[in-house]
Amino acid sequence: MSRMEARFAKLAAEKRAALVTYSMAFDPDRAASQELLNGLPGAGADIIEFGMPFTDPMADGPAIQYAAQRALAAGGTLRGVLEMIANFRQGDNETPVVLMGYYNPIYSWGVEKFCADAAKAGIDALIIVDLPPEEADELLPHCRANGIDFIFLTTPTSDDSRLPTIVGNASGFVYYVSIAGITGTASASATAIGDAVSRIKKHTSLPVCVGFGIKTPEQAAEVARLADGAVVGSAIVQAAADAKARGENPAQAALALVRELAAGVRGARG
Amino acid sequence: MTSLNTYRAGPDERGHFGIFGGRYVAETLMPLILSVEKAYAEAKNDPAFQAEFRTLLKQYVGRPNPLYFAPRLTEAFGGAKIFLKREDLNHTGAHKINNCIGQILLAKRMGKERIIAETGAGQHGVATATVCALFGLKCVIYMGATDIERQAPNVYRMKLLGAEVRPVTSGAATLKDAMNDALRDWVTNVADTYYLIGTVAGPHPFPAMVRDFQCVIGDEVRAQMLEAEGRLPDSLVACIGGGSNAMGLFHPFLDDASIRIIGVEAGGHGLDKLHAASLTGGRPGVLHGNRTYLLQDDDGQIQEAHSISAGLDYPGIGPEHSWLHETKRVEYVWVTDDEALAAFQQVTRLEGIIPALESSHALAHAAKIAGQLPKDHLMVVNMSGRGDKDVNTVARALGDTFGGLL
Ligand SMILES: Cc1ncc(COP(=O)(O)O)c(C=O)c1O
């Protein structure tokens, strides 16, 4: 059983949804983002998405755009990102880590070699925003060969004719992007999210996690009632950035928010 | 590429030219991209659509524009006979309008009410704002803050035409960043918005569609040269930002094996410094929806381009050019900012035609090679646009270089 399957099995036993957190590697610097990463399981994150910085994050709003700029200015590289995950794995061999970002750094590394190196570092899954099903066949076989899940994104624009194509190749979980838009902006209504999740579940038995626009513990709790996981990204990134601007510890500020979010998710179905 | 005896068959049904091209976009955009592809495939085969396109090119754009024999340039270069394809005489002053007419008709056909576009030099922004005025559609133009400053006259033209110009401050605040923000807008406004891409780049079907609309350039040149000289040209030269004016000129001639075809990239300060020569100085990667040659560092991070010409200041190039580069059908070279500036002045003084700084790159390369070619060699240089928009930039550059000679 993969770390991802084991985690969802445990959550099912606990009858609750997952809190999935996103933070950017090297933001605001390597030490702080390592401190944040290593603290996430203790603060209640069930699944960790770790962002690889990219110069041109076309699907991201300002919060994550700035995070990527800070990370690159701090010397962020893909090699460094893998090293940070390997470091995390020394203390945690259970929490699934999903590497999230854009395709070019991976393509530049060489897809076959990258998948092998990523698996060795302890990465469980990839989300590559600009690799839709139409192009994913150049990466999928290498993911499979290395036991890495490729998480496909579904969106409000993925209609019923398209969903089978998307989820047909999916493993790990299915990510539902709850708004047509970029990260850290609008939020979808509970009704819209509930409808979408049941629509997706008609096409797959995989867990469905919902992200984009979830910022508060209340919103996370609401989504946790409707789906198998709630993904929070921009709010965590912003909490770290705000703390840093105030001269406080960015990792600890982000972890404080994660603890509140985790309480929200854990209390959701109680 | 199934057929080996033609260079004109691409892309394949997934939008690939060899390994280049494709549809590397977020899932949110995928259904929309597929609907653009379907709508364009239908329009392409609809005689009524084609007739409306042709009529507007004639009545509104003023086509065909001349293939002008440039006697004084020919004499100055001292070799090949130089012909200028006068895209600068089009309505709005560049080749960009050809593509805008085609795509606005498609957007209308798809029932879209809001048009967005990216622009570098502002020529594509002006052309887009123009067709939006013509058809009464809402228009939002993304333009890097750096470019807004160096292409101020075009910014005001867009505003007069009723467009909203949104300054982009991320990155180096140039064309690449404007394209990022345009894509972010499109992801957010999928239902009512059409993204009118200005060059032969972006996800499939844009590279092929923009090429098709721009092929009117090469088709006209073929007929005009046959009429003027009774034969086809010997060489074609065009500048390359994303590569639309070049592709429009080149594509109709790709299968005429005897014709030498040359694309000129922006060499900026030189290839060991800041430049925008993606083919010569870059390697394959994925950005803005397609795989193509990109300026990037060892880690796959995209590098900032530099060119004195805002329209060439982009770290990528259309995917079909990458394929033509690897198949070696087209030669790709580069010239520096300084060489382009020198050509800008030379052509202005000798022919009384002020070329765009973009087009000046093609002219600068023609100046380099024409002298070694025989006097019966027929060379066509694409005068992709007029240089009025560049007067401020040139004044500043010459002021720096020649200590206030202006
Ligand atoms: C006059 C002119 N020529 C050339 C270009 C470069 O674009 P492309 O390579 O797509 O023709 C531009 C772009 O703004 C332009 O305005």
Side-chain angles (χ1 to χ4, degrees):
Chain A
M1 202 188 271
S2 69
R3 275 187 289 257
M4 190 72 78
E5 287 165 332
R7 179 51 45 107
F8 277 108
K10 176 169 171 274
L11 290 163
E14 290 175 18
K15 295 193 169 44
R16 66 175 182 90
L19 172 63
V20 185
T21 62
Y22 172 96
S23 59
M24 173 75 78
F26 283 86
D27 173 35
D29 55 50
R30 183 169 182 156
S33 67
Q34 186 84 60
E35 181 184 344
L36 170 54
L37 176 65
N38 292 3
L40 282 169
D46 300 299
I47 297 171
I48 295 172
E49 286 180 15
F50 204 40
M52 314 179 259
F54 184 51
T55 39
D56 296 84
M58 284 153 288
D60 285 302
I64 293 178
Q65 286 176 41
Y66 291 132
Q69 283 180 9
R70 290 190 296 266
L72 291 170
T77 60
L78 191 44
R79 182 173 306 282
V81 175
L82 296 187
E83 286 166 6
M84 291 181 69
I85 292 166
N87 173 302
F88 169 83
R89 278 280 167 251
Q90 288 170 10
D92 183 311
N93 200 24
E94 284 171 15
T95 309
V97 173
V98 182
L99 195 63
M100 178 159 183
Y102 295 82
Y103 188 41
N104 199 51
I106 290 176
Y107 179 70
S108 171
W109 188 285
V111 286
E112 186 167 2
K113 183 167 183 311
F114 177 78
C115 289
D117 293 343
K120 212 184 303 162
I123 286 168
D124 301 286
L126 295 177
I127 297 179
I128 304 178
V129 179
D130 52 352
L131 205 63
E134 278 74 4
E135 304 291 350
D137 53 358
E138 62 189 71
L139 187 65
L140 272 177
H142 305 298
C143 283
R144 291 212 180 96
N146 289 283
I148 292 178
D149 291 320
F150 190 90
I151 311 285
F152 282 99
L153 305 179
T154 56
T155 73
T157 61
S158 322
D159 56 23
D160 280 318
S161 66
R162 210 173 145 66
L163 277 174
T165 324
I166 303 176
V167 302
N169 278 318
S171 63
F173 61 87
V174 172
Y175 192 130
Y176 177 62
V177 174
S178 64
I179 53 154
I182 52 179
T183 55
T185 52
S187 309
S189 72
T191 326
I193 292 174
D195 290 350
V197 171
S198 27
R199 197 160 62 84
I200 295 167
K201 287 202 175 261
K202 287 198 192 106
H203 298 276
T204 181
S205 54
L206 289 172
V208 177
C209 296
V210 177
F212 280 45
I214 306 173
K215 293 170 185 150
T216 64
E218 294 72 32
Q219 287 171 317
E222 186 165 62
V223 170
R225 282 188 281 271
L226 303 165
D228 303 301
V231 188
V232 183
S234 296
I236 295 172
V237 167
Q238 194 62 48
D242 291 346
K244 168 106 176 152
R246 290 192 305 265
E248 295 165 15
N249 181 319
Q252 292 309 319
L255 290 170
L257 174 60
V258 171
R259 274 187 284 275
E260 290 173 35
L261 293 164
V265 166
R266 279 156 208 259
R269 297 186 198 163
Chain B
M1 299 307 118
T2 44
S3 174
L4 294 171
N5 55 4
T6 176
Y7 285 96
R8 305 193 65 193
D12 66 18
E13 70 284 354
R14 293 175 60 190
H16 291 131
F17 304 91
I19 67 159
F20 300 104
R23 292 174 287 211
Y24 296 85
V25 296
E27 170 61 22
T28 317
L29 285 183
M30 206 55 221
L32 193 54
I33 301 268
L34 293 171
S35 74
V36 173
E37 183 185 342
K38 185 162 171 284
Y40 177 58
E42 286 164 10
K44 197 177 167 176
N45 294 316
D46 177 354
F49 179 88
Q50 292 298 341
E52 194 174 3
F53 177 57
R54 296 288 151 191
T55 303
L56 281 166
L57 287 185
K58 183 159 184 260
Q59 307 288 352
Y60 190 70
V61 176
R63 303 200 75 96
N65 56 43
L67 179 67
Y68 165 70
F69 170 63
R72 300 193 70 208
L73 268 190
T74 299
E75 195 189 323
F77 292 172
K81 282 180 93 166
I82 307 296
F83 292 81
L84 304 177
K85 180 56 176 165
R86 298 294 307 275
E87 293 299 307
D88 60 312
L89 293 178
N90 292 343
H91 178 43
T92 72
H95 68 292
K96 297 286 181 187
I97 189 89
N98 304 329
N99 165 49
C100 289
I101 296 280
Q103 286 199 59
I104 203 78
L105 292 178
L106 186 70
K108 219 177 50 146
R109 198 180 163 100
M110 294 177 72
K112 301 292 182 184
E113 284 153 13
R114 178 175 175 271
I115 305 295
I116 58 171
E118 84 296 341
T119 196
Q123 286 304 117
H124 176 58
V126 166
T128 304
T130 298
V131 296
C132 286
L134 179 63
F135 286 100
L137 298 173
K138 196 167 156 20
C139 180
V140 174
I141 303 291
Y142 288 91
M143 187 168 186
T146 307
D147 292 339
I148 286 184
E149 197 191 326
R150 58 179 163 170
Q151 307 281 288
N154 272 344
V155 177
Y156 196 60
R157 287 168 81 195
M158 288 183 259
K159 288 185 179 163
L160 287 173
L161 288 160
E164 178 194 343
V165 180
R166 292 197 185 159
V168 177
T169 51
S170 58
T174 59
L175 187 52
K176 164 174 86 91
D177 313 292
M179 197 148 181
N180 288 336
D181 267 16
L183 282 164
R184 289 180 185 119
D185 180 313
W186 209 20
V187 167
T188 311
N189 299 291
V190 278
D192 70 339
T193 297
Y194 181 89
Y195 181 11
L196 207 161
I197 295 184
T199 190
V200 287
H204 177 64
F206 285 95
M209 174 167 66
V210 176
R211 173 198 72 198
D212 293 348
F213 291 138
Q214 290 293 2
C215 272
V216 63
I217 302 173
D219 288 338
E220 283 179 10
V221 165
R222 177 178 284 270
Q224 289 168 324
M225 190 59 99
L226 282 173
E227 194 186 315
E229 297 282 336
R231 65 183 184 88
L232 294 180
D234 297 303
S235 61
L236 309 171
V237 184
C239 71
I240 299 198
S244 66
N245 86 88
M247 194 58 77
L249 174 63
F250 297 170
H251 204 262
F253 294 102
L254 287 176
D255 289 337
D256 296 288
S258 66
I259 301 181
R260 184 173 169 198
I261 305 182
I262 306 171
V264 186
E265 294 192 288
H269 300 312
L271 286 214
D272 54 342
K273 306 194 186 74
L274 282 176
H275 63 86
S278 325
L279 286 177
T280 318
R283 63 192 166 88
V286 173
L287 181 71
H288 293 155
N290 65 102
R291 174 162 29 231
T292 194
Y293 274 70
L294 299 172
L295 301 181
Q296 53 185 315
D297 68 13
D298 291 343
D299 212 35
Q301 303 294 343
I302 309 304
Q303 289 171 322
E304 299 296 348
H306 162 80
S307 170
I308 188 170
S309 135
L312 307 184
D313 200 346
Y314 180 70
I317 182 168
E320 193 168 9
H321 284 291
S322 292
W323 179 73
L324 290 168
H325 169 65
E326 292 207 340
T327 56
K328 299 200 162 62
R329 173 61 187 100
V330 176
E331 262 172 78
Y332 293 90
V333 300
W334 52 277
V335 305
T336 63
D337 286 355
D338 288 345
E339 291 168 324
L341 266 173
F344 177 97
Q345 297 169 85
Q346 187 181 25
V347 175
T348 302
R349 299 264 174 92
L350 286 180
E351 294 289 350
I353 299 171
I354 303 180
L357 275 174
E358 291 80 14
S359 324
S360 300
H361 285 71
L363 293 159
H365 188 70
K368 274 189 197 173
I369 62 171
Q372 297 133 42
L373 295 167
K375 298 220 186 287
D376 62 352
H377 181 105
L378 307 178
M379 177 181 286
V380 176
V381 183
N382 205 3
M383 183 70 84
S384 57
R386 68 181 185 218
D388 310 40
K389 68 186 176 55
D390 296 313
V391 165
N392 293 345
T393 306
V394 171
R396 221 173 299 158
L398 294 183
D400 288 347
T401 316
F402 300 115
L405 194 127
L406 261 187

